[in-house]
Amino acid sequence: MDEKLRDAIEKRRDDLITLTRELIRFPTINPPGEAYTPCAEYLARRLQQSGFETQLIRGVGTPGDTDRFPRTNVVARFDGRTHGQTVHFNSHIDVVDTGEGWTVDPFEALVRDGKIYGRGACDMKGGLAASIVAADAFLAVYPDFRGAIEISGTADEESGGFGGVAHLARLGYFSKPRVDHVIIPEPLDKDRICLGHRGVWWAEIETRGEIAHGSMPFLGDCAIRHMGAVIEAFEKELFPALDLKQTAMPVVPEGARRSTMNINSVHGGQTEDFKPGLPSPNVPDSCRLTIDRRFLLEEDLGEVKGEVRAILERLKGERPKFDYELRDVMEVLPTMTERGAPVVTAVAEGIRAVFGKEPAYVISPGTYDQKHVARIGHLHDCIAYGPGRLDLAHRPDEWVGISDMVESAKVMAISLDVLLRGGRG
Ligand SMILES: [Zn+2]
């Protein structure tokens, strides 16, 4: 029944390769948010050729938005002959910095052995290109469909999505009645459906001390020693306790199927950032530490914070002069779309048709733009599904497989058929 759609995708294989390569050639590195506008303008032109109406929407006033680095988003819409439901494919156009260790040019989009190499190939310009080709194929085969298809290319996912999906969600672009179903082609693998992600709590802890001459530390109070006591308590109590908190959420990789915490940074004492380098001479009066705590559906954010605060409060009773401040930096609640949700069952049907097997249902260890769709847009029929392997994202020599893109474009096209035409084939 899906033969026509699959053929239509096969016919567009070269187009899919060209589109992916052209997208990779825009060095949309974030931060700072380079080349967003030319990339969004290119997408707008490309989608207009497919019959979409397009809008460029700048995240004016969002973090990082300046005239030099405008947070430019593109939203494209194709309305069918008659009114019906809307399926939206959302991809971020930003990529992370290249880093060291590349053996190919990260923005040349080299094709070799069935793979396209480049920064953003897998995360997630390959997925964006696959969704465009899936829509093209669907429109060619079923021009009289009911409903609408939207495709967006958005800014800033790698830095929190504030100038991208969060901004558009505030303007109503990710809410009913405009949109019913959202597919985010993040690189979660072509036969897996990502239902959501764990929660995040970033916080900064500061211990306080008293400045004094380094030769007479007894006259002051060392904030770094206080922080050492905090880290020791984390090692002895908190990390072992977090290891024991397992989740029923199907998080991949399996190591993330429990609570985790990272200590992202420690900064204590006076700065030594003077070149060629002057040592810090004093007893430090401040030490700051940033934590990245990932939590589970089974946990309550208040309890998550309470565990850390309880340790700090206890130290206050135990250590003379110990004082601290605990500041929230970022909070994201965990989210998991129901397995029976329409977009999940539609993509599952596509995966069954293309691969002849049941999909794997997974949860991402980290967050992505689904959080804004759920929390700001109040739209819960949302998943991540796309080609590319998650473990290649953000690495040197990132690549996406051409046949993976072709196969996931077929899954996306069949999902459109299921959601907009009831899968009548
Ligand atoms: Zn991504």
Side-chain angles (χ1 to χ4, degrees), residues 150-396:
E150 290 189 341
I151 294 176
S152 58
T154 51
D156 286 353
E157 190 277 338
E158 300 290 2
S159 55
F162 304 109
V165 172
H167 181 74
L168 295 177
R170 278 200 186 87
L171 297 174
Y173 282 91
F174 286 97
S175 297
K176 288 190 178 200
R178 185 188 169 102
V179 177
D180 297 279
H181 318 281
V182 178
I183 297 171
I184 301 177
E186 286 275 9
L188 271 307
D189 247 356
K190 60 190 177 181
D191 53 1
R192 301 202 296 200
I193 296 174
C194 181
L195 302 170
H197 50 70
R198 297 188 300 172
V200 186
W201 176 48
W202 274 28
E204 185 183 71
I205 298 164
E206 181 173 6
T207 48
R208 295 283 169 69
E210 206 183 317
I211 196 164
H213 197 286
S215 68
M216 296 170 284
F218 47 86
L219 295 180
D221 181 30
C222 181
I224 294 176
R225 288 181 63 187
H226 287 314
M227 190 60 86
V230 173
I231 293 173
E232 196 189 348
F234 284 171
E235 289 293 343
K236 284 198 174 135
E237 302 163 44
L238 190 56
F239 284 115
L242 297 184
D243 274 347
L244 295 176
K245 292 192 192 198
Q246 305 280 328
T247 179
M249 301 169 91
V251 189
V252 287
E254 226 167 286
R257 210 164 281 186
R258 56 195 169 87
S259 301
T260 58
M261 189 173 90
N262 184 48
I263 296 179
N264 296 11
S265 64
V266 186
H267 299 285
Q270 289 182 297
T271 181
E272 286 154 348
D273 282 352
F274 307 105
K275 303 292 179 213
L278 289 168
S280 171
N282 293 317
V283 176
D285 58 0
S286 159
C287 184
R288 291 176 293 113
L289 172 144
T290 302
I291 54 171
D292 175 349
R293 171 75 160 84
R294 302 292 166 137
F295 63 102
L296 314 168
L297 269 181
E298 293 88 343
E299 292 183 288
D300 172 79
L301 179 56
E303 284 167 25
V304 166
K305 294 182 179 182
E307 292 167 341
V308 171
R309 193 172 284 281
I311 287 172
L312 296 167
E313 281 295 317
R314 201 195 62 229
L315 288 170
K316 205 167 170 173
E318 285 174 6
R319 289 179 67 88
K321 292 190 184 173
F322 182 93
D323 201 8
Y324 73 93
E325 242 184 74
L326 178 59
R327 290 183 281 267
D328 294 328
V329 176
M330 178 170 70
E331 303 173 2
V332 178
L333 294 178
T335 179
M336 185 160 83
T337 301
E338 296 286 325
R339 271 195 201 193
V343 74
V344 179
T345 52
V347 175
E349 209 172 313
I351 288 172
R352 271 183 223 113
V354 173
F355 302 108
K357 63 171 185 181
E358 283 300 308
Y361 298 92
V362 300
I363 290 283
S364 167
T367 70
Y368 51 95
D369 280 331
Q370 184 168 346
K371 56 183 177 270
H372 302 306
V373 175
R375 213 186 43 183
I376 305 172
H378 301 291
L379 194 65
H380 298 284
D381 199 34
C382 177
I383 55 157
Y385 169 77
R389 299 228 300 262
L390 190 57
D391 48 6
L392 295 173
H394 300 201
R395 307 279 307 270

Side-chain angles (χ1 to χ4, degrees), residues 67-222:
D67 287 339
R68 168 70 184 85
F69 299 111
R71 312 336 260 184
T72 309
N73 301 282
V74 59
V75 180
R77 183 176 173 96
F78 192 111
D79 277 297
R81 293 262 163 91
T82 46
H83 189 71
Q85 302 216 316
T86 299
V87 181
H88 185 119
F89 291 96
N90 164 253
S91 298
H92 64 85
I93 58 171
D94 58 322
V95 300
V96 294
D97 203 354
T98 53
E100 303 292 316
W102 287 76
T103 63
V104 296
D105 181 333
F107 298 108
E108 192 194 298
L110 176 80
V111 178
R112 191 162 62 199
D113 301 332
K115 298 168 180 171
I116 305 177
Y117 287 85
R119 175 54 86 224
C122 122
D123 185 11
M124 58 180 288
K125 287 169 172 173
L128 170 56
S131 69
I132 292 171
V133 167
D136 280 351
F138 178 81
L139 294 172
V141 176
Y142 301 117
D144 297 328
F145 77 102
R146 263 180 67 156
I149 301 170
E150 290 189 341
I151 294 176
S152 58
T154 51
D156 286 353
E157 190 277 338
E158 300 290 2
S159 55
F162 304 109
V165 172
H167 181 74
L168 295 177
R170 278 200 186 87
L171 297 174
Y173 282 91
F174 286 97
S175 297
K176 288 190 178 200
R178 185 188 169 102
V179 177
D180 297 279
H181 318 281
V182 178
I183 297 171
I184 301 177
E186 286 275 9
L188 271 307
D189 247 356
K190 60 190 177 181
D191 53 1
R192 301 202 296 200
I193 296 174
C194 181
L195 302 170
H197 50 70
R198 297 188 300 172
V200 186
W201 176 48
W202 274 28
E204 185 183 71
I205 298 164
E206 181 173 6
T207 48
R208 295 283 169 69
E210 206 183 317
I211 196 164
H213 197 286
S215 68
M216 296 170 284
F218 47 86
L219 295 180
D221 181 30
C222 181

